[in-house]
Amino acid sequence: MTMAVARLKGLLAGWRAPQHRDGLALVVSSGMTSAVGLLYWFLAARMFPPDVVGVNAVALSSLMLVGGVAHLNMSHALLRFVPVAGTAARRLVVLGYLVAVALSALAGAGFALGAIWWAPELVDVAGYGALVAFFAVSCPVWTLFSLQDYVLTAVGRATAVPVENLVFSLLKVGLLVVVTLAALPGGIALSWVIATALIVLPINLWLLLRLLPAHGARTADRAVPITVGAIGRFIGADYVGALFWQAAMMGLPVLVLGRLGAEAAAAYNMVWQFGLALYMVPSGMGQSMIAHSAADPGKVDKARRETVRRGLMLVVPVALVLALGAPLILAIFGPHYASTGTGALALVALSAIPNVITAAATSTARVRQRRAVQFGVPTSLSVLTIGLAWILMPHLGVLAVGLSWLLAQCVVASVVLVMNAPWVPGPPGRWIDAVHSTALLRRVGEDGLRRLGAPAGWAIGSRMGGGSETVVVTVGPVGEGRALLKAADTANGQAELRQQTSALAELHADPRLQHWTPLIPRVLGTAEIGDTFCLTETILPGGSGPDALADPPRSGPFRSSAVAAISELHRNTATLRRIGDAELDAWVHQPIVALSRTLPAALREEAARLGSVLDARMRGQVVGVGWTHGDYLPVNVLAAPNARERDHRLVHRAPRRPVRPRRRDVRADGGGDGGRGGVRARGAAVAPGGAACRGRGARRLPDRARRHRSRPGTAGLPRLARPRQRVRVALGPDGGQPGVEPAQRARGAAGSR
């Protein structure tokens, strides 16, 4: 019972975080709107025959489609840029409103003028002139209504959205009764538009006169310059994707009307009310994620994972209930709706589960301004859904539309999951790495090289390493590599490159290492380009360490040289310290706790036992504390081409695709940034990556390197010291302390791990 209560408290505490609180407010708003909307359509179904309901539903779907198409998807542009606009926020919103309203009015009138070709039923019911007037006025009103919720979220007032939408929904129901009693033609559509106009005026006065000025003053310190070009580039990709998405969301009722008739359109309209309610859950969560991550795009990956997890918690139970109870639910609206739409409702409800993943991918792309994803995900969904529905409707009726939604969502969600997977084996993984790297380098571009201080005429050359989080390429005059460019666009990758930069700076500044630092690269420049962190560094000469290890004449000198190189770093930076409670907490217990969080429950006791053993063995030891390398492996070695030469350089090469959860050990982990020529440190614990190579300007190691030999069974690795004589502990990020080794011997370490 106590554990259940603790779990419930933890769950509720997570929803109190600002991002999740606002996301939940938007979800609640959608839920209330959908619930009252169902009441609205229930009353409409009881007051009007199915053909009248179908035509009015198509008119309202067309209104939403045209309004959504015409405003250039300004909603997400305002949501993305208003949080970081500072005092320019109100001006940005006003300009966005003016553009959206003008375009919506023109688009509405244009749709009505051409309705005789694509929706002749609307012309037959309303008349040509009345239809043009209706769309020319209602489209701008609906556009303002759509934009205001996004602006409220952007200024941190998402909790007001449920109240606003509840009032709007109740107004719709009340006006529906009024227009029915008054017997007004087109009463269903009129009640909807009048309610929209009544809510738009007060909300936008509140926004423009109170909320936006206050938001600008509150966020002036974190404001960033916003240019027309930046907004234009964002809208360019997002708008095209949104066009396709709106076509699927709001255009399918028109397609059903044309292919299957008004009664089938009425049935699909009822089905889609439930589907739309579920689709609005990840939409609301995504809006909140965009607003809260706009100022710090580097943290959006973590926010995306939390958004998906919490979105699934809300969507999955409801989707299963709708899928199983579809016949009973639709029977409330009448036998026609139950007989025609039961299968479609079950499939549409199930399609909302993968939609959580695809919606989160699109929201993440909007934060990071990844235009290919902004365009690709909604476009793929729309093309697949509409294409399948068009093909299958003559054979399956309304059921075809539900099946199309489910298949399209599953296909695109599968692609998203694979592209975001921490590791994919074989050729698919290499292809995914290449896609990520190509996109990242395109964002850096020639402008990025200039900002890094590269000379004129330098260009990005061939790729040398990296993975899904970091890419490493040569840069220099065309056809010639003069330096390395490393770039990362994720929080982990950027942290690793920053740690590497800091470690190299400290090592080069240490007077004890002046004779040793020629073995490591030097950072030439750093820059932030959008949400990408980049650095350039010198290229160190040398060949592949694993190749040298596999060559018998070179293997022995290679290993001896590598051991001597890292030993010299340890020896020159070590100071003595006795291990006590503070050291054990930082070096053992905190890393064990972090490790335990990633383990299955059955292994956590073993991890705790390991911590106890390490505590007992290390407590009271006097150790030498100094720099060390956390991933001193052959892949991090640049080797001399000649077996008789033991010259070397120290570099760092990471795995192609880092495995998550990130390794946490009682030694430092060196993986992450990829490529030749680089080092990174975790806390103060990690030192430069080790390697051996031969090249111009390299110095010869002392002959004492010959004394260090590898044991049998450890080919490819430097000799590990006997545990009872010398134990090196190079800590991970939780330790924040340098590597240590008990000082049973007077000199520094001869081995490295």
Side-chain angles (χ1 to χ4, degrees), residues 253-419:
V254 180
L255 189 63
V256 173
L257 177 66
R259 296 280 279 178
L260 302 177
E263 292 189 356
Y268 177 69
N269 177 67
M270 292 303 174
V271 167
W272 187 237
Q273 299 309 308
F274 291 97
L276 186 60
L278 286 177
Y279 274 50
M280 292 304 292
V281 172
S283 176
M285 301 289 290
Q287 290 173 37
S288 179
M289 183 183 75
I290 294 170
H292 287 276
S293 302
D296 190 4
K299 296 181 179 179
V300 74
D301 284 326
K302 180 180 178 182
R304 173 184 58 81
R305 290 190 292 271
E306 278 296 303
T307 297
V308 169
R309 186 170 71 87
R310 295 182 183 278
L312 290 174
M313 288 169 55
L314 297 174
V315 168
V316 170
V318 180
L320 294 178
V321 169
L322 287 176
L324 296 174
L328 298 176
I329 293 169
L330 288 178
I332 298 172
F333 299 91
H336 166 73
Y337 299 97
S339 62
T340 307
T342 294
L345 176 57
L347 295 175
V348 167
L350 292 175
S351 76
I353 297 175
N355 178 65
V356 173
I357 297 169
T358 58
T362 305
S363 296
T364 303
R366 284 168 174 151
V367 173
R368 305 181 71 185
Q369 301 185 52
R370 298 291 185 264
R371 295 191 287 275
V373 180
Q374 289 175 255
F375 165 77
V377 170
T379 301
S380 301
L381 286 170
S382 179
V383 170
L384 285 172
T385 303
I386 294 176
L388 288 172
W390 178 268
I391 294 170
L392 297 176
M393 267 195 287
H395 308 286
L396 300 177
V398 176
L399 179 66
V401 187
L403 180 61
S404 301
W405 275 115
L406 180 59
L407 292 176
Q409 288 286 359
C410 287
V411 169
V412 177
S414 298
V415 174
V416 169
L417 289 174
V418 170
M419 295 298 291

Side-chain angles (χ1 to χ4, degrees), residues 229-262:
I231 296 175
R233 287 189 295 272
F234 179 92
I235 289 177
D238 204 58
Y239 176 60
V240 177
L243 283 179
F244 281 93
W245 183 243
Q246 290 288 336
M249 294 272 284
M250 306 302 176
L252 273 173
V254 180
L255 189 63
V256 173
L257 177 66
R259 296 280 279 178
L260 302 177

Side-chain angles (χ1 to χ4, degrees), residues 32-391:
M32 289 192 307
T33 302
S34 298
V36 181
L38 288 173
L39 173 63
Y40 176 90
W41 287 109
F42 171 78
L43 294 174
R46 294 298 182 182
M47 294 176 180
F48 298 91
D51 58 334
V52 174
V53 174
V55 170
N56 277 267
V58 168
L60 291 174
S61 293
S62 302
L63 162 65
M64 297 175 194
L65 173 62
V66 173
V69 167
H71 67 55
L72 303 178
N73 210 33
M74 193 67 69
S75 54
H76 283 99
L78 294 176
L79 182 65
R80 174 61 181 83
F81 292 106
V82 166
V84 293
T87 54
R90 181 164 65 174
R91 184 167 66 254
L92 178 62
V93 170
V94 170
L95 290 175
Y97 276 7
L98 290 176
V99 172
V101 166
L103 292 175
S104 296
L106 292 174
F111 174 86
L113 288 171
I116 193 170
W117 291 289
W118 44 69
E121 293 86 353
L122 296 179
V123 178
D124 294 340
V125 171
Y128 210 63
L131 189 66
V132 171
F134 173 80
F135 273 91
V137 173
S138 61
C139 280
V141 173
W142 181 256
T143 293
L144 286 176
F145 179 77
S146 301
L147 296 181
Q148 67 189 21
D149 288 358
Y150 289 84
V151 179
L152 284 169
T153 304
V155 299
R157 299 304 292 264
T159 50
V161 175
V163 178
E164 169 224 335
N165 283 327
L166 178 61
V167 173
F168 164 68
S169 299
L170 295 176
L171 278 173
K172 282 193 305 183
V173 173
L175 288 169
L176 178 65
V177 175
V178 171
V179 296
T180 303
L181 294 175
L184 291 176
I188 297 176
L190 284 176
S191 66
W192 191 292
V193 172
I194 294 171
T196 306
L198 291 176
I199 203 69
V200 160
L201 182 61
I203 291 296
N204 280 284
L205 287 176
W206 184 39
L207 272 170
L208 296 173
L209 299 181
R210 295 287 299 276
L211 295 185
L212 284 166
H215 168 77
R218 186 173 63 253
T219 61
D221 58 333
R222 69 180 189 189
V224 299
I226 298 173
T227 64
V228 174
I231 296 175
R233 287 189 295 272
F234 179 92
I235 289 177
D238 204 58
Y239 176 60
V240 177
L243 283 179
F244 281 93
W245 183 243
Q246 290 288 336
M249 294 272 284
M250 306 302 176
L252 273 173
V254 180
L255 189 63
V256 173
L257 177 66
R259 296 280 279 178
L260 302 177
E263 292 189 356
Y268 177 69
N269 177 67
M270 292 303 174
V271 167
W272 187 237
Q273 299 309 308
F274 291 97
L276 186 60
L278 286 177
Y279 274 50
M280 292 304 292
V281 172
S283 176
M285 301 289 290
Q287 290 173 37
S288 179
M289 183 183 75
I290 294 170
H292 287 276
S293 302
D296 190 4
K299 296 181 179 179
V300 74
D301 284 326
K302 180 180 178 182
R304 173 184 58 81
R305 290 190 292 271
E306 278 296 303
T307 297
V308 169
R309 186 170 71 87
R310 295 182 183 278
L312 290 174
M313 288 169 55
L314 297 174
V315 168
V316 170
V318 180
L320 294 178
V321 169
L322 287 176
L324 296 174
L328 298 176
I329 293 169
L330 288 178
I332 298 172
F333 299 91
H336 166 73
Y337 299 97
S339 62
T340 307
T342 294
L345 176 57
L347 295 175
V348 167
L350 292 175
S351 76
I353 297 175
N355 178 65
V356 173
I357 297 169
T358 58
T362 305
S363 296
T364 303
R366 284 168 174 151
V367 173
R368 305 181 71 185
Q369 301 185 52
R370 298 291 185 264
R371 295 191 287 275
V373 180
Q374 289 175 255
F375 165 77
V377 170
T379 301
S380 301
L381 286 170
S382 179
V383 170
L384 285 172
T385 303
I386 294 176
L388 288 172
W390 178 268
I391 294 170

Side-chain angles (χ1 to χ4, degrees), residues 441-454 458 460 527-530:
L441 292 174
R442 187 183 299 116
R443 293 191 297 271
V444 174
E446 301 300 324
D447 179 62
L449 287 180
R450 304 290 85 79
R451 293 174 60 180
L452 284 163
W458 278 29
I460 295 175
E528 291 194 37
I529 302 164

